[in-house]
Amino acid sequence: MAKKRTYVYRVSQKRWFEAQKWELACWKKIDRYTPPQSLIQQFLQKLLEKTYLRLEPIKEPDDWNFWWQEKFNNYKFLPSVVENAIEVGCGPFTNMRLISKKIKVGHIVCSDPLARQYIKLNRGWLSWAYRNNRVLIDDQSLETIPFATNYFDLAVMINVLDHVQDVRRCLKQAIRIIKPGGLLLVGQDLTSAEDLSRWPNLKDIGHPISISQHTLDKILLPRFKPIMYKVLPRDEGRNPPYHYGTYIFAGKKKLKQKD
Ligand SMILES: C[S@@+](CC[C@H](N)C(=O)[O-])C[C@H]1O[C@@H](n2cnc3c(N)ncnc32)[C@H](O)[C@@H]1O
């Protein structure tokens, strides 16, 4: 008989490590198979990195980051200048690379438990930005992120929560580190009970967690004033058979926070 799948908000460390191992292997594979730059390009890149120009690589691999950008209305709602910004679960290619082209960001932190591995990859914006002193990296899990309370003006968390070990702890920490009046961006594939029942035996190694709109609404709506809030229907999502919707949220942290 098919095993019934239910919502999972928290997994063991062993299960999370398994997912992270899978995640890193995917990015390493993409790194290996992304066509190398020609020798001339590599030479020019190294040369330009040494000058004050520090030009960015022309074409970098991407993890749906342009797709998310479009769904977030090209980030047009963001202020033109932000002093301290963090992307949590930033991945090797990051959404910050696109955001920082739209607005001026004083200081960028890119946080991801795999960050130290990602900066060793040959390609990807994170390793370039790290080599060129554009970002500070942090390799803590969001559940135990070490930054001060009420610190960041902007936090970005896109396509992360179904990869973590404990969703509620992650959301709590992300909210904690944002200043009152600061902004949080959340982009997330959503899973319904029906989605889970349609794929009863599926063991999705890389996505240990499943998330519904209700979980996110319950935590975010009392604490943030929404600036952008929509749930894209199934057929507009990245993976329609598995996800009934996509959560697109940008909100301003309320001055008074409920516990
Ligand atoms: C699918 S990738 C998305 C990367 C990036 N947000 C993007 O959109 O390009 C998910 C990322 O979440 C990270 N992650 C997994 N568990 C995490 C945790 N507990 N805290 C923070 N990040 C986590 C993974 O290492 C991975 O880099």
Short mmCIF file of all heavy atoms in Angstrom, two decimals, residues 16 20 23 27 63 65 68 87-95 111-114 118 140-143 158-160 163-165 170, ligand 1:
data_model
loop_
_atom_site.label_atom_id
_atom_site.label_comp_id
_atom_site.label_asym_id
_atom_site.label_seq_id
_atom_site.Cartn_x
_atom_site.Cartn_y
_atom_site.Cartn_z
N TRP A 16 18.63 16.28 6.88
CA TRP A 16 19.01 17.57 6.30
C TRP A 16 20.40 17.48 5.63
O TRP A 16 20.60 17.97 4.53
CB TRP A 16 18.99 18.67 7.38
CG TRP A 16 19.39 20.01 6.86
CD1 TRP A 16 18.69 20.78 5.98
CD2 TRP A 16 20.60 20.71 7.14
NE1 TRP A 16 19.39 21.95 5.70
CE2 TRP A 16 20.56 21.92 6.40
CE3 TRP A 16 21.72 20.45 7.94
CZ2 TRP A 16 21.59 22.87 6.44
CZ3 TRP A 16 22.73 21.40 7.99
CH2 TRP A 16 22.66 22.58 7.24
N GLN A 20 21.51 18.33 1.83
CA GLN A 20 22.58 19.28 1.52
C GLN A 20 23.68 18.64 0.65
O GLN A 20 24.27 19.29 -0.21
CB GLN A 20 23.19 19.83 2.82
CG GLN A 20 22.30 20.83 3.54
CD GLN A 20 22.06 22.08 2.71
OE1 GLN A 20 21.11 22.15 1.94
NE2 GLN A 20 22.90 23.08 2.83
N GLU A 23 22.33 18.65 -2.75
CA GLU A 23 22.34 20.02 -3.27
C GLU A 23 23.74 20.39 -3.80
O GLU A 23 23.90 20.85 -4.92
CB GLU A 23 21.94 20.96 -2.12
CG GLU A 23 21.82 22.43 -2.47
CD GLU A 23 20.49 22.77 -3.13
OE1 GLU A 23 19.55 21.98 -3.00
OE2 GLU A 23 20.44 23.81 -3.79
N TRP A 27 25.22 21.39 -7.75
CA TRP A 27 25.93 22.62 -8.17
C TRP A 27 27.33 22.30 -8.69
O TRP A 27 27.82 22.95 -9.60
CB TRP A 27 26.00 23.63 -7.01
CG TRP A 27 24.65 24.07 -6.52
CD1 TRP A 27 24.24 24.12 -5.23
CD2 TRP A 27 23.54 24.51 -7.32
NE1 TRP A 27 22.93 24.54 -5.16
CE2 TRP A 27 22.48 24.79 -6.42
CE3 TRP A 27 23.32 24.68 -8.69
CZ2 TRP A 27 21.24 25.24 -6.86
CZ3 TRP A 27 22.08 25.12 -9.12
CH2 TRP A 27 21.07 25.40 -8.22
N ASP A 63 20.00 30.09 -11.30
CA ASP A 63 19.04 29.14 -10.73
C ASP A 63 17.67 29.82 -10.66
O ASP A 63 17.19 30.14 -9.59
CB ASP A 63 19.51 28.71 -9.33
CG ASP A 63 18.56 27.70 -8.69
OD1 ASP A 63 17.75 27.09 -9.42
OD2 ASP A 63 18.63 27.52 -7.46
N ASN A 65 16.90 32.70 -11.16
CA ASN A 65 16.93 34.00 -10.50
C ASN A 65 16.26 35.08 -11.34
O ASN A 65 15.61 35.98 -10.80
CB ASN A 65 18.36 34.39 -10.13
CG ASN A 65 19.06 33.27 -9.39
OD1 ASN A 65 19.91 32.59 -9.94
ND2 ASN A 65 18.67 33.02 -8.15
N TRP A 68 12.47 34.62 -10.83
CA TRP A 68 12.00 35.24 -9.58
C TRP A 68 11.98 36.76 -9.70
O TRP A 68 11.06 37.42 -9.23
CB TRP A 68 12.90 34.83 -8.40
CG TRP A 68 12.77 33.39 -7.98
CD1 TRP A 68 13.69 32.40 -8.19
CD2 TRP A 68 11.67 32.76 -7.29
NE1 TRP A 68 13.23 31.21 -7.66
CE2 TRP A 68 12.01 31.41 -7.11
CE3 TRP A 68 10.44 33.23 -6.82
CZ2 TRP A 68 11.16 30.51 -6.47
CZ3 TRP A 68 9.60 32.32 -6.17
CH2 TRP A 68 9.95 30.98 -6.01
N GLU A 87 21.21 37.99 1.96
CA GLU A 87 20.44 36.94 1.31
C GLU A 87 20.72 35.66 2.08
O GLU A 87 21.88 35.24 2.20
CB GLU A 87 20.79 36.76 -0.18
CG GLU A 87 19.98 35.61 -0.78
CD GLU A 87 19.93 35.58 -2.30
OE1 GLU A 87 20.58 36.41 -2.95
OE2 GLU A 87 19.22 34.69 -2.83
N VAL A 88 19.67 35.05 2.62
CA VAL A 88 19.86 33.79 3.36
C VAL A 88 19.57 32.62 2.43
O VAL A 88 18.68 32.71 1.59
CB VAL A 88 18.98 33.75 4.64
CG1 VAL A 88 19.42 34.80 5.63
CG2 VAL A 88 17.49 33.90 4.33
N GLY A 89 20.34 31.55 2.58
CA GLY A 89 20.23 30.42 1.63
C GLY A 89 20.51 30.92 0.23
O GLY A 89 19.79 30.62 -0.72
N CYS A 90 21.61 31.67 0.11
CA CYS A 90 21.85 32.45 -1.12
C CYS A 90 22.19 31.58 -2.33
O CYS A 90 22.03 32.02 -3.47
CB CYS A 90 22.96 33.47 -0.89
SG CYS A 90 24.54 32.69 -0.53
N GLY A 91 22.69 30.35 -2.10
CA GLY A 91 23.09 29.50 -3.24
C GLY A 91 24.33 30.06 -3.93
O GLY A 91 24.87 31.09 -3.54
N PRO A 92 24.80 29.37 -4.98
CA PRO A 92 26.03 29.82 -5.66
C PRO A 92 25.82 31.00 -6.61
O PRO A 92 26.77 31.69 -6.95
CB PRO A 92 26.47 28.58 -6.44
CG PRO A 92 25.25 27.73 -6.58
CD PRO A 92 24.33 28.05 -5.45
N PHE A 93 24.57 31.21 -7.03
CA PHE A 93 24.35 32.24 -8.07
C PHE A 93 23.66 33.48 -7.50
O PHE A 93 23.88 34.57 -8.02
CB PHE A 93 23.54 31.65 -9.23
CG PHE A 93 24.05 30.29 -9.68
CD1 PHE A 93 23.18 29.26 -9.98
CD2 PHE A 93 25.41 30.06 -9.77
CE1 PHE A 93 23.66 28.01 -10.37
CE2 PHE A 93 25.90 28.82 -10.15
CZ PHE A 93 25.02 27.79 -10.45
N THR A 94 22.84 33.29 -6.50
CA THR A 94 22.19 34.33 -5.69
C THR A 94 21.15 35.18 -6.45
O THR A 94 21.24 35.35 -7.66
CB THR A 94 23.20 35.31 -5.03
OG1 THR A 94 23.56 36.32 -5.95
CG2 THR A 94 24.41 34.64 -4.46
N ASN A 95 20.20 35.68 -5.68
CA ASN A 95 19.26 36.67 -6.22
C ASN A 95 19.82 38.07 -5.98
O ASN A 95 19.44 39.02 -6.65
CB ASN A 95 17.89 36.51 -5.56
CG ASN A 95 17.30 35.15 -5.90
OD1 ASN A 95 16.83 34.95 -7.02
ND2 ASN A 95 17.37 34.20 -4.98
N SER A 111 24.55 34.51 2.91
CA SER A 111 24.62 33.48 3.93
C SER A 111 24.07 32.16 3.39
O SER A 111 23.00 32.14 2.79
CB SER A 111 23.79 33.95 5.14
OG SER A 111 23.72 32.94 6.11
N ASP A 112 24.81 31.09 3.62
CA ASP A 112 24.37 29.76 3.19
C ASP A 112 25.27 28.73 3.87
O ASP A 112 26.50 28.91 3.89
CB ASP A 112 24.50 29.63 1.66
CG ASP A 112 23.73 28.45 1.09
OD1 ASP A 112 24.06 27.29 1.43
OD2 ASP A 112 22.79 28.68 0.31
N PRO A 113 24.70 27.65 4.40
CA PRO A 113 25.55 26.63 5.04
C PRO A 113 26.59 26.07 4.07
O PRO A 113 27.61 25.55 4.51
CB PRO A 113 24.57 25.53 5.47
CG PRO A 113 23.22 26.13 5.39
CD PRO A 113 23.27 27.32 4.50
N LEU A 114 26.35 26.18 2.77
CA LEU A 114 27.32 25.67 1.79
C LEU A 114 28.19 26.79 1.20
O LEU A 114 28.92 26.55 0.23
CB LEU A 114 26.58 24.94 0.66
CG LEU A 114 25.83 23.66 1.06
CD1 LEU A 114 25.02 23.11 -0.11
CD2 LEU A 114 26.81 22.59 1.55
N TYR A 118 30.64 26.88 -2.08
CA TYR A 118 30.24 27.61 -3.29
C TYR A 118 31.36 28.56 -3.77
O TYR A 118 31.53 28.73 -4.97
CB TYR A 118 28.97 28.42 -3.05
CG TYR A 118 27.71 27.61 -2.82
CD1 TYR A 118 26.62 28.17 -2.15
CD2 TYR A 118 27.58 26.30 -3.29
CE1 TYR A 118 25.45 27.45 -1.95
CE2 TYR A 118 26.42 25.58 -3.09
CZ TYR A 118 25.36 26.15 -2.42
OH TYR A 118 24.20 25.44 -2.23
N GLN A 140 26.63 29.91 8.37
CA GLN A 140 25.75 29.31 9.39
C GLN A 140 24.41 28.93 8.77
O GLN A 140 23.96 29.54 7.80
CB GLN A 140 25.49 30.31 10.51
CG GLN A 140 26.73 30.83 11.19
CD GLN A 140 27.49 29.74 11.91
OE1 GLN A 140 26.90 28.96 12.64
NE2 GLN A 140 28.79 29.67 11.69
N SER A 141 23.75 27.97 9.40
CA SER A 141 22.37 27.67 9.01
C SER A 141 21.49 28.81 9.50
O SER A 141 21.77 29.40 10.55
CB SER A 141 21.90 26.39 9.70
OG SER A 141 22.61 25.30 9.20
N LEU A 142 20.42 29.04 8.78
CA LEU A 142 19.52 30.13 9.18
C LEU A 142 18.93 29.87 10.57
O LEU A 142 18.68 30.81 11.32
CB LEU A 142 18.41 30.26 8.12
CG LEU A 142 17.37 31.34 8.32
CD1 LEU A 142 17.99 32.70 8.58
CD2 LEU A 142 16.46 31.43 7.10
N GLU A 143 18.74 28.63 10.93
CA GLU A 143 18.17 28.31 12.25
C GLU A 143 19.00 28.90 13.39
O GLU A 143 18.48 29.18 14.47
CB GLU A 143 18.11 26.78 12.46
CG GLU A 143 17.07 26.06 11.65
CD GLU A 143 17.57 25.61 10.28
OE1 GLU A 143 18.60 26.15 9.81
OE2 GLU A 143 16.94 24.73 9.68
N ILE A 158 14.68 33.43 -0.99
CA ILE A 158 13.96 32.95 -2.17
C ILE A 158 14.37 31.50 -2.45
O ILE A 158 15.56 31.20 -2.57
CB ILE A 158 14.25 33.86 -3.40
CG1 ILE A 158 13.64 35.24 -3.16
CG2 ILE A 158 13.71 33.23 -4.69
CD1 ILE A 158 13.86 36.24 -4.28
N ASN A 159 13.36 30.63 -2.52
CA ASN A 159 13.60 29.22 -2.84
C ASN A 159 14.53 28.56 -1.82
O ASN A 159 15.49 27.89 -2.19
CB ASN A 159 14.17 29.12 -4.27
CG ASN A 159 14.23 27.69 -4.77
OD1 ASN A 159 13.60 26.80 -4.22
ND2 ASN A 159 15.02 27.46 -5.82
N VAL A 160 14.24 28.77 -0.54
CA VAL A 160 15.11 28.25 0.52
C VAL A 160 14.35 27.33 1.48
O VAL A 160 14.86 26.27 1.87
CB VAL A 160 15.72 29.42 1.34
CG1 VAL A 160 16.54 28.92 2.51
CG2 VAL A 160 16.58 30.31 0.45
N HIS A 163 14.26 23.59 1.79
CA HIS A 163 15.57 22.93 1.87
C HIS A 163 16.11 22.86 3.30
O HIS A 163 17.12 22.24 3.54
CB HIS A 163 16.60 23.70 1.03
CG HIS A 163 16.30 23.68 -0.43
ND1 HIS A 163 16.91 22.82 -1.30
CD2 HIS A 163 15.45 24.41 -1.17
CE1 HIS A 163 16.45 23.02 -2.53
NE2 HIS A 163 15.56 23.99 -2.48
N VAL A 164 15.46 23.56 4.25
CA VAL A 164 16.07 23.74 5.57
C VAL A 164 15.77 22.57 6.50
O VAL A 164 15.08 21.62 6.11
CB VAL A 164 15.60 25.08 6.21
CG1 VAL A 164 15.93 26.25 5.31
CG2 VAL A 164 14.11 25.04 6.54
N GLN A 165 16.25 22.70 7.74
CA GLN A 165 15.98 21.63 8.70
C GLN A 165 14.70 21.93 9.51
O GLN A 165 13.95 21.03 9.84
CB GLN A 165 17.18 21.50 9.66
CG GLN A 165 17.15 20.20 10.42
CD GLN A 165 18.26 20.09 11.45
OE1 GLN A 165 19.29 20.75 11.33
NE2 GLN A 165 18.07 19.26 12.45
N CYS A 170 13.67 28.93 11.17
CA CYS A 170 14.28 29.77 10.12
C CYS A 170 13.51 31.08 9.96
O CYS A 170 14.12 32.15 9.88
CB CYS A 170 14.30 29.03 8.78
SG CYS A 170 15.59 27.79 8.73
C1 LIG B 1 17.66 25.81 -4.23
S1 LIG B 1 18.94 26.65 -3.44
C2 LIG B 1 18.42 28.32 -3.75
C3 LIG B 1 19.56 29.29 -3.72
C4 LIG B 1 19.16 30.76 -3.91
N1 LIG B 1 18.25 31.19 -2.91
C5 LIG B 1 18.62 30.99 -5.29
O1 LIG B 1 17.40 31.25 -5.41
O2 LIG B 1 19.42 30.97 -6.24
C6 LIG B 1 18.58 26.46 -1.70
C7 LIG B 1 19.72 26.88 -0.80
O3 LIG B 1 19.27 26.81 0.56
C8 LIG B 1 20.38 26.47 1.35
N2 LIG B 1 19.96 25.95 2.67
C9 LIG B 1 19.62 24.70 2.99
N3 LIG B 1 19.36 24.60 4.30
C10 LIG B 1 19.55 25.83 4.82
C11 LIG B 1 19.46 26.36 6.14
N4 LIG B 1 19.12 25.58 7.18
N5 LIG B 1 19.74 27.66 6.32
C12 LIG B 1 20.07 28.45 5.26
N6 LIG B 1 20.17 28.00 3.99
C13 LIG B 1 19.91 26.71 3.77
C14 LIG B 1 21.10 25.44 0.52
O4 LIG B 1 22.44 25.26 0.92
C15 LIG B 1 20.95 26.01 -0.89
O5 LIG B 1 22.07 26.76 -1.27
#
